[in-house]
């Protein structure tokens, strides 16, 4: 049953779900990115904003793209973006750097991109699949 945190007002799946109440803003994250990483993030953000009903949450350590539930987490660094998302199946091929089954129907993936050229069709397809993995029909 959904639960709303009394401190940060985020809606969570239950009162025992761990979360950080520290909410920040886009500038806090983007000011630490190098120019090429910022260009890459802009492309990613523009792409994800073409999906329906997207909510963006700027947390202390990451930027979450949500549709009810989180479908993409972006950990911005000065020289790269670390992307985490879940799919129904394992896609353990480059540029994925980490792939682990976390439940019967979900596999956590992590990859790193740094340049606008890194944000290619394959990564777009995985992000779109992550969106559909989480989206309730």
């Amino acid at each position: 049953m959904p639960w709303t945190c009394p401190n940060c007002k985020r809606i969570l799946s239950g009162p025992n779900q761990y979360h950080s109440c520290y909410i920040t803003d886009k500038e806090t994250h983007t000011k630490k990115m190098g120019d090429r990483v910022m260009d890459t993030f802009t492309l990613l953000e523009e792409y994800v904003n073409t999906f329906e009903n997207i909510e963006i949450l700027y947390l202390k350590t990451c930027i979450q793209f949500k549709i009810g539930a989180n479908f993409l987490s972006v950990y911005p660094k000065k020289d790269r973006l670390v992307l985490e998302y879940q799919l129904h199946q394992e896609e353990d091929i480059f540029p994925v750097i980490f792939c682990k089954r976390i439940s019967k129907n979900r596999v956590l993936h992590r990859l790193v991109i740094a340049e606008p050229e890194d944000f290619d069709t394959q990564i777009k397809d995985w992000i779109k699949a992550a969106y559909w993995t989480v989206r309730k029909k």
Side-chain angles (χ1 to χ4, degrees):
M1 181 160 158
W3 176 78
T4 302
C5 174
N7 297 324
C8 66
K9 308 299 183 222
R10 286 175 56 198
I11 299 171
L12 307 164
S13 60
N16 296 326
Q17 179 181 347
Y18 173 79
H19 72 287
S20 169
C21 288
Y22 186 90
I23 307 290
T24 186
D25 57 20
K26 182 177 180 177
E27 185 178 314
T28 300
H29 288 288
T30 58
K31 70 181 179 186
K32 64 182 165 187
M33 295 179 197
D35 291 342
R36 297 295 285 168
V37 175
M38 184 62 211
D39 293 344
T40 307
F41 178 74
T42 299
L43 289 173
L44 183 146
E45 183 180 35
E46 288 171 355
Y47 175 70
V48 172
N49 278 327
T50 65
F51 302 174
E52 293 180 2
N53 304 318
I54 298 301
E55 176 188 358
I56 302 173
L57 193 59
Y58 300 96
L59 302 176
K60 183 177 183 177
T61 59
C62 72
I63 302 166
Q64 288 186 340
F65 293 88
K66 304 174 65 122
I67 178 157
N70 174 30
F71 72 91
L72 174 65
S73 295
V74 178
Y75 295 85
K77 311 292 183 191
K78 181 175 178 58
D79 61 344
R80 66 195 180 285
L81 298 172
V82 178
L83 280 55
E84 282 190 354
Y85 54 92
Q86 297 175 29
L87 300 175
H88 289 301
Q89 73 286 350
E90 186 174 311
E91 296 284 352
D92 195 7
I93 58 173
F94 184 81
V96 173
I97 59 170
F98 179 81
C99 190
K100 180 179 181 182
R101 181 159 298 280
I102 57 174
S103 75
K104 177 182 169 189
N105 297 315
R106 299 284 174 94
V107 180
L108 177 68
H109 295 76
R110 186 177 302 137
L111 60 83
V112 176
I113 58 176
E115 303 284 328
E117 301 78 32
D118 296 341
F119 190 60
D120 62 13
T121 303
Q122 179 63 73
I123 293 173
K124 289 177 183 177
D125 289 347
W126 286 331
I127 291 171
K128 186 67 142 183
Y131 170 82
W132 284 108
T133 296
V134 171
R135 182 171 173 169
K136 306 283 189 255
K137 300 213 178 352

